[in-house]
Amino acid sequence: MTMDRRVRRTRSLLRQAAIEVIREKGFRAARVRDITERADVNRATFYAHYADKYAFAEAMVRDEIRHGFATRLPAAPVADLVHALAVLLWEDSSRADGCRRNIDDLRPLIQRAVRTEVSRLLVERCAYESAVTAHIVGSTIVGAVCWWRENGLPATSPGEVADEVTRAVLYGLRPASG
């Protein structure tokens, strides 16, 4: 189902304005009024699309995640998909470090949206019959990358992080053979 051109335009204006306002003020200080004034969109129009700035932020994050998945993840077997997904999440979280002051308030929302979208992707691409299984696998991937970043663990490359995450997802708690 395609979205009406006017709706796409309005959402694009709001998105760009929100990015600018959040960069300037941070999420907590950004108000819907600031965003709508910057976008030159009526506040009532904003509320016709979103319940509040948190719903708007979550929609923005999900759209960005879906776009990233669609354009940057290969159609591949599960192991390759998990590896590519871990690399993508690592690289995106590294980029987010540059604007940490402005997104710290959004971190729980972002992590929830990423987990949801990763689970959705796994159901779609890997044909998991159980949404619970997809959620567990998705949460494992996202949680591992977040834990690695938050604890400042060394990584010489996103591929090394992805290798470790892929091993954990595919082999779980089985002891390493050596």
Side-chain angles (χ1 to χ4, degrees):
M1 180 167 110
T2 55
M3 193 182 315
D4 180 272
R5 183 171 38 101
R6 292 169 298 170
V7 172
R8 282 195 317 266
R9 182 179 177 282
T10 298
R11 289 186 178 179
S12 177
L13 289 169
L14 289 169
R15 182 182 183 287
Q16 188 55 44
I19 290 169
E20 292 170 8
V21 170
I22 292 168
R23 278 190 182 137
E24 291 170 12
K25 296 183 171 193
F27 182 75
R28 185 176 297 178
R31 299 174 307 161
V32 170
R33 178 185 311 263
D34 300 327
I35 295 167
T36 56
E37 285 176 0
R38 178 78 52 99
D40 197 22
V41 172
N42 188 298
R43 278 181 46 210
T45 301
F46 177 93
Y47 287 113
H49 293 268
Y50 308 101
D52 56 26
K53 75 177 186 178
Y54 294 94
F56 173 61
E58 186 161 354
M60 280 180 44
V61 168
R62 284 184 169 202
D63 287 347
E64 196 66 30
I65 293 166
R66 285 181 183 150
H67 177 73
F69 286 176
T71 59
R72 294 167 56 200
L73 287 178
V78 174
D80 294 340
L81 180 62
V82 168
H83 192 275
L85 186 55
V87 168
L88 175 77
L89 294 173
W90 179 266
E91 290 172 348
D92 285 356
S93 67
S94 296
R95 258 196 316 280
D97 281 349
C99 55
R100 183 173 303 280
R101 177 187 72 82
N102 295 329
I103 66 165
D104 272 347
D105 295 331
L106 290 172
R107 193 161 314 284
L109 180 146
I110 291 168
Q111 288 179 359
R112 182 176 60 246
V114 170
R115 279 186 175 89
T116 299
E117 291 304 315
V118 167
S119 298
R120 183 189 61 76
L121 175 82
L122 292 171
V123 167
E124 287 176 4
R125 296 233 192 136
C126 301
Y128 278 110
E129 293 180 16
S130 166
V132 172
T133 301
H135 178 76
I136 291 167
V137 172
S139 292
T140 300
I141 296 166
V142 174
V145 171
C146 290
W147 180 81
W148 200 302
R149 299 285 308 158
E150 290 165 2
N151 287 288
L153 298 174
T156 57
S157 74
E160 288 181 352
V161 175
D163 289 345
E164 190 74 25
V165 170
T166 302
R167 277 193 296 279
V169 168
L170 296 179
Y171 305 113
L173 299 175
R174 285 189 274 176
S177 59

